[in-house]
C-alpha cells in the first residue's frame, strides 16, 4: 500500500489538475454564458420592469409605476364595491398547472424509463437507430404533432372509429378537451426529453453491477431499486427537470387538447398579453411562474440528493 | 445422474455457442468436469479459451446450449443467479459505487432478508477476515485496487455461498500484491471451507494455489489434475507448452507395458523409458516431453545409473539465472534440448560453450504426448 506521503503528493497533483480543468471549463463555456446572459437575462429584465408599470388601455404599458400587477397575482378587487378577495381563479390555474406538470413528468418517467433501458441494453450498433427513432417527433413542429394526436382522439378520430367498428363502444368516447387528453399529449410531446438523459445515464451504467446485484440474491425489483435507480439518478433528475419546466409553461398542447376550458398557466399568461390587455399582470405571473419553477427545482434536487445520502 | 457426495459442482457435457451462422462462436465445447467439495479448483488457459463463459454458466448469467450443470446433486438449469448459492468475485470487482465498503459487503445478506443485527455482525466479521476493519465507512472509490479486491472477496463470501467463483481476481494487481493475495486467498479458502473455482491465465499462479487444475483451450478442457500431475505428466503438447518450460523430442515406440513404454529417441538413437498416458498412441512415431530441470550432467567416464538414460550433446549457449543455469544443447539428429542445472560451487567442473557433454535423466522423467 502507498506511503502516506505518496498519497499526499498524489492528492496535491490531483487538486492542481482539477483546478486547471475548472479554469478550462469556464473558458470553454464563456460564449454560451454570454449568449445566455444576453438572450435570457435581457427579456427577463424587461418582464421585471413591465410588471411594475401600469397597463395601457389597448394593451402595452404606460410608463408609470404601479404595484397593481403584482397585487393582482394573488388578489382581486370586486368590480362594483372594490372589496379585496383572494384571486381563487389564479390559484386554481396555478395548482392545475403544477398538478398537470407533475403528472406529466411522472408519466414521462414511467414511459421513458423502460424505453431508455431497452435502448441501453441493445447491441451498441443498434442503439443509434433506436435513439434516432426517439428523436423523430422533434423533426416536426409541435403544432403538427398536437394536431396528429387530435386526429387520433377526437370523437370521429382513429381510436373511436376502431372501437366503434369493433363494437366495443356504441357512442364515441369523449377524449378531446379533457385533462386526460392534455396529460397524454404533454407526456408524448416531452417524452424524448426524458428518454435522452435517462439513456445517457444508463449508457454509462456498468451492467456488471447489475449482474453483481443478481449474483448477490437481489430480485429484479431489488436490482432496479438498489442498484439501477441510485446509479441512474442523475439521469432521472435531469429528465424530470427537462420535462417539468416546459410542462409548467406549456401553452399549445393544453390549448388544443384541453380545449382551453381548463386553462393552464401558459394560456392564462398569454391571455393577459392578448385579450386581457394587462401586461403588468402577465409579466408578474411570468416571474411568479419562474420563481415557482426555481423553488420546485431546489426542493426536488435537495430531496433527490438526500435520498442518495440516505443510501450511503 | 448418480452423484458422489464428494462432488460440489458437476458439469456434464456442457457446450455454449454464442451467435449463429457466420458469427457463431463455440465458447465451450462438450465440457465435463467434476469439482469436489472444499476444493481450490483452477481453470487455467489462455485468453478466449472459455474460462469466463464457464463461470458465467455456473453463476447463471448464461445458459448452456447443451449439457447440464449440477450443484450438490441438483440440476440448476432453472435457477436464476439470485437463487443460486453461488457468488462471484468479478474480474473488474464490480463494487457498487453508491455504497460504502460495509454496505457493499452486507448487500447479499440484506437481499436475503437477514435481520439487521445479523447483517452488521457478519459484515464486521468479514471486514476482520479480509483485514479492512478501519475502512468500513469509506466509499469504494476512496480505496486502493488491492483494498477493492478484498472488499469484492468479502462481499462474495459474506452470504457464505456453497461455491465461490473468482474470475482472474488478481490480474489487475501488481506483482508484490498479487503474491500476497495468493496466500490470502488460500488462507480464506481454508478458513471458510468454501469450494473455490478460480480462473487464471497465469500458470504459476495456478500451480502455487490450486488443489486441482483444469487446463483449457478453445472451449475444451484438455487435462484435469493436481499441480504436480499437470506439470510432470502433461498429456498434450499444449499443456506441456503452456505450463513451464519443456523439451519436445521425437521418438519411436518400441514396446508398451501398461502405462510405461520403451522408446527410441530420434536424437542419437538412445533407448529410454517413458510414461504413456491413457489415450496416447501405443506404437509408431510419437513426441515425448522432458522438463529441463530433470536433466543432469554425467562425468565423461560415468555410466548412467540403473534405469537412467544418457544422451550425448554439445553445449551451444549458456544463460545464467542466479540459482541455476540454462544450457542450450544440440543433440544428435539436430534436435535441441534445454537443460536447467542448479548452480553448485561444489561441482567439480561446469561445462562451457562448445563442450561435448553427456546428460542423463531418471527413468520416468519422459512423458509421451497424446498429440
Ligand atoms: N456474449 C458473447 N457473445 C459472443 N461471443 C462471446 C460472448 N462471450 C464470450 N464470447 C466468446 O467466447 C469465447 C470465450 O470467451 P471467454 O469465456 O470470455 O474467454 P476467457 O475468459 O477464457 O478469456 C471468446 O472467443 C469470446 O469472444
Ligand atoms: Mg475471462
Amino acid at each position: 500500500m502507498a506511503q502516506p506521503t505518496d498519497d499526499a503528493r498524489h492528492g496535491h497533483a490531483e487538486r492542481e489538475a482539477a483546478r486547471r480543468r475548472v479554469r478550462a471549463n469556464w473558458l470553454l463555456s464563456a460564449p454560451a454564458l454570454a449568449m445566455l446572459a444576453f438572450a435570457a437575462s435581457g427579456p427577463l429584465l424587461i418582464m421585471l420592469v413591465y410588471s411594475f408599470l401600469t397597463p395601457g388601455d389597448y394593451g402595452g404599458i404606460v410608463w408609470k409605476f404601479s404595484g397593481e400587477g403584482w397585487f393582482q397575482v394573488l388578489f382581486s378587487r370586486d368590480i362594483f364595491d372594490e372589496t379585496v378577495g383572494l384571486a381563487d381563479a389564479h390559484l386554481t390555474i396555478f395548482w392545475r398547472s403544477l398538478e398537470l406538470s407533475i403528472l406529466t413528468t411522472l408519466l414521462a418517467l414511467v414511459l421513458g424509463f423502460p424505453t431508455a433501458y431497452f435502448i441501453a441494453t441493445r447491441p451498441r450498433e443498434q442503439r443509434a437507430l433506436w435513439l434516432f427513432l426517439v428523436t423523430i417527433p422533434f423533426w416536426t413542429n409541435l403544432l403538427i404533432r398536437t394536431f396528429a394526436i387530435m386526429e387520433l382522439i377526437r370523437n370521429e378520430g382513429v381510436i373511436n372509429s376502431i372501437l366503434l367498428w369493433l363494437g366495443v363502444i356504441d357512442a364515441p368516447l369523449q377524449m378531446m378537451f379533457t385533462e386526460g387528453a392534455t396529460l397524454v399529449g404533454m407526456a408524448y410531446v416531452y417524452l424524448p426529453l426524458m428518454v435522452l438523459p435517462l439513456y445517457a445515464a444508463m449508457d454509462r451504467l456498468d451492467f456488471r453491477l447489475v449482474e453483481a446485484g443478481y449474483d448477490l440474491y437481489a430480485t429484479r425489483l431489488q436490482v432496479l431499486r438498489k442498484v439501477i435507480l441510485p446509479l441512474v439518478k442523475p439521469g432521472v433528475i435531469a429528465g424530470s427537470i427537462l420535462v417539468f419546466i416546459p410542462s409548467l409553461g406549456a401553452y399549445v398542447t393544453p390549448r388544443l387538447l384541453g380545449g382551453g376550458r381548463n386553462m393552464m398557466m401558459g394560456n392564462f399568461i398569454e391571455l393577459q398579453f392578448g385579450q386581457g390587455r394587462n401586461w403588468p399582470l402577465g409579466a408578474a405571473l411570468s416571474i411568479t411562474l419562474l420563481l415557482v419553477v426555481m423553488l420546485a427545482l431546489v426542493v426536488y434536487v435537495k430531496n433527490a440528493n438526500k435520498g442518495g445520502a440516505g443510501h450511503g | 445422474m448418480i452423484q458422489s457426495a464428494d462432488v460440489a459442482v458437476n458439469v456434464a457435457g456442457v457446450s455454449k455457442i454464442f451467435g449463429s451462422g457466420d458469427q457463431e462462436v463455440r465458447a465451450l465445447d462438450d465440457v465435463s468436469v467434476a469439482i469436489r467439495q472444499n476444493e481450490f479448483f483452477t481453470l487455467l488457459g489462455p485468453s478466449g479459451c472459455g474460462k469466463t463463459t464457464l463461470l458465467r454458466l455456473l453463476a447463471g448469467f448464461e445458459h448452456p446450449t447443451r449439457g447440464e450443470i449440477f450443484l450438490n446433486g441438483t440440476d440448476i438449469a432453472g435457477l436464476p443467479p439470485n437463487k443460486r448459492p453461488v457468488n462471484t468475485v468479478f474480474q473488474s470487482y464490480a463494487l457498487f459505487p453508491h455504497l460504502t465498503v460495509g454496505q457493499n459487503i452486507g448487500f447479499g445478506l440484506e437481499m436475503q432478508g437477514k435481520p439487521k443485527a445479523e447483517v452488521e455482525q457478519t459484515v464486521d466479521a468479514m471486514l476482520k477476515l479480509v483485514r479492512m476493519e478501519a475502512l468500513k465507512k469509506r466509499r469504494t472509490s476512496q480505496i486502493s485496487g488491492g483494498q477493492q479486491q478484498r472488499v469484492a472477496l468479502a462481499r462474495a463470501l459474506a452470504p457464505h455461498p456453497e461455491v465461490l467463483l473468482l474470475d482472474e481476481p488478481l490480474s489487475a494487481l501488481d506483482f508484490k500484491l498479487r503474491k500476497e493475495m495468493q496466500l490470502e486467498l488460500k488462507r480464506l479458502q481454508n478458513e471458510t471451507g468454501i469450494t473455490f473455482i478460480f480462473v487464471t491465465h497465469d500458470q504459476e499462479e495456478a500451480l502455487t494455489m490450486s488443489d486441482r487444475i483444469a487446463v483449457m483451450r478453445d472451449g475444451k478442457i484438455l487435462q484435469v489434475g493436481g499441480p504436480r500431475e499437470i506439470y510432470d505428466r502433461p498429456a498434450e503438447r499444449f499443456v506441456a507448452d503452456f505450463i513451464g518450460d519443456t523439451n519436445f523430442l521425437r521418438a519411436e515406440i518400441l514396446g508398451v507395458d501398461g502405462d510405461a513404454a520403451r522408446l527410441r529417441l530420434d536424437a542419437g538413437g538412445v533407448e529410454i523409458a517413458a510414461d504413456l498416458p491413457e489415450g496416447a498412441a501405443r506404437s509408431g512415431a510419437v513426441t515425448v516431453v522432458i522438463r529441463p530441470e530433470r536433466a543432469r550432467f554425467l562425468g565423461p567416464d560415468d555410466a548412467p545409473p540403473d534405469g537412467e538414460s544418457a544422451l550425448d550433446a554439445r553445449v551451444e549457449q549458456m544463460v545464467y539465472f542466479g540459482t541455476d543455469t540454462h544450457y542450450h544443447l544440440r543433440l544428435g539428429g539436430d534436435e535441441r534440448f534445454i537443460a536447467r542445472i542448479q548452480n553448485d560451487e561444489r561441482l567439480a567442473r561446469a561445462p562451457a560453450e562448445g563442450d561435448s557433454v553427456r546428460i542423463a535423466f531418471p527413468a520416468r522423467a519422459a512423458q509421451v504426448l497424446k498429440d
Side-chain angles (χ1 to χ4, degrees), chain A residues 14 28 183 266 274:
Chain A
E14 189 98 302
L28 283 173
L183 178 63

Side-chain angles (χ1 to χ4, degrees), chain B residues 64-76:
Chain B
T65 310
R66 266 191 297 284
E68 290 160 310
I69 300 171
F70 298 89
L71 182 67
N72 293 321
T74 350
D75 188 343
I76 52 172

Side-chain angles (χ1 to χ4, degrees), chain A residues 46-312:
Chain A
I46 295 175
M47 277 296 169
L48 189 64
V49 172
Y50 278 16
S51 72
F52 287 105
L53 297 176
T54 311
D57 288 342
Y58 304 100
I61 35 90
V62 176
W63 283 89
K64 193 173 131 225
F65 174 83
S66 160
E68 195 67 8
W70 282 102
F71 180 80
Q72 285 173 359
V73 170
L74 276 181
F75 303 102
S76 62
R77 247 182 272 274
D78 196 286
I79 311 171
F80 302 108
D81 57 11
E82 298 259 315
T83 50
V84 171
L86 215 55
D88 304 349
H90 297 191
L91 290 179
T92 311
I93 291 170
F94 243 108
W95 177 242
R96 187 188 294 131
S97 296
L98 210 59
E99 191 183 38
L100 197 68
S101 302
I102 291 172
L103 287 176
T104 301
T105 309
L106 285 178
L107 186 60
L109 184 61
V110 167
L111 295 175
F113 197 92
T115 311
Y117 191 85
F118 173 83
I119 299 174
T121 49
R122 291 312 93 194
R124 197 157 277 285
E125 63 273 13
Q126 285 178 24
R127 292 189 206 167
L129 177 67
W130 287 106
L131 285 175
F132 170 75
L133 290 177
V134 166
T135 56
I136 277 187
F138 280 157
W139 289 35
T140 43
N141 178 281
L142 172 62
L143 209 56
I144 294 171
R145 275 185 283 161
T146 311
F147 276 121
I149 296 184
M150 287 171 72
E151 194 50 42
L152 283 175
I153 66 173
R154 69 196 170 90
N155 285 6
E156 306 78 30
V158 176
I159 294 177
N160 271 320
S161 306
I162 292 176
L163 288 179
L164 281 171
W165 181 73
L166 286 175
V168 181
I169 50 172
D170 320 315
L173 292 174
Q174 176 64 41
M175 288 182 285
M176 275 300 283
F177 310 134
T178 60
E179 284 200 11
T182 313
L183 178 63
V184 171
M186 299 231 300
Y188 161 72
V189 165
Y190 297 125
L191 191 56
L193 294 178
M194 181 63 87
V195 171
L196 294 178
L198 274 179
Y199 167 76
M202 285 180 193
D203 185 42
R204 262 176 285 138
L205 175 69
D206 182 353
F207 276 88
R208 286 172 297 194
L209 296 176
V210 174
E211 288 191 342
Y214 284 126
D215 190 60
L216 291 163
Y217 311 106
T219 60
R220 280 165 169 278
L221 196 66
Q222 283 172 319
V223 167
L224 179 67
R225 282 187 40 227
K226 301 280 182 177
V227 181
I228 299 177
L229 271 179
L231 291 173
V232 301
K233 204 167 63 186
V236 174
I237 293 175
S240 302
I241 291 174
L242 285 181
V243 172
F244 179 76
I245 294 178
S247 296
L248 204 51
Y251 162 67
V252 171
T253 315
R255 174 69 174 273
L256 292 180
L257 297 180
R261 246 192 295 178
N262 298 315
M263 207 178 278
M264 302 276 291
M265 214 45 216
N267 309 111
F268 189 59
I269 292 172
E270 186 256 357
L271 189 68
Q272 305 313 317
F273 285 97
Q275 291 160 309
R277 291 180 198 160
N278 194 347
W279 286 27
L281 175 59
L285 284 170
S286 303
I287 292 169
T288 310
L289 186 63
L290 184 78
L291 293 177
V292 168
V293 167
M294 275 162 57
L295 192 74
L297 284 186
V298 169
V299 171
Y300 176 63
V301 172
K302 265 235 168 80
N303 273 328
N305 284 338
K306 205 158 55 221
H311 251 292

Side-chain angles (χ1 to χ4, degrees), chain B residues 221-285:
Chain B
I221 290 185
L222 300 182
Q223 191 173 358
V224 181
R228 277 222 103 78
E229 192 184 338
I230 294 283
Y231 184 79
D232 283 340
R233 302 273 163 247
E236 295 189 30
R237 177 180 286 267
F238 178 82
V239 178
D241 208 17
F242 192 69
I243 297 167
D245 302 320
T246 200
N247 294 295
F248 296 100
L249 299 175
R250 286 192 300 275
E252 176 125 22
I253 295 186
L254 301 175
V256 172
D257 176 16
D259 62 351
R262 285 218 58 76
L263 318 157
R264 185 171 45 237
L265 292 180
D266 290 8
V270 180
E271 283 190 23
I272 63 164
D275 263 32
L276 195 65
E278 227 176 288
R282 302 181 79 77
S283 65

Side-chain angles (χ1 to χ4, degrees), chain B residues 18-19 25 27 45-54 62 167-168 199:
Chain B
F18 289 109
V25 178
S47 167
C49 72
K51 307 180 296 289
T52 298
T53 303
L54 186 50
E62 306 280 359
D167 193 355
E168 311 210 17
V199 159

Side-chain angles (χ1 to χ4, degrees), chain A residues 209 211 214-215 218 226 311-312, chain B residues 56 82 87-88 95 98 103:
Chain A
L209 296 176
E211 288 191 342
Y214 284 126
D215 190 60
K226 301 280 182 177
H311 251 292
Chain B
R56 289 175 63 78
N82 56 331
N87 287 146
T88 307
L95 296 178
H98 58 295
Q103 286 168 332

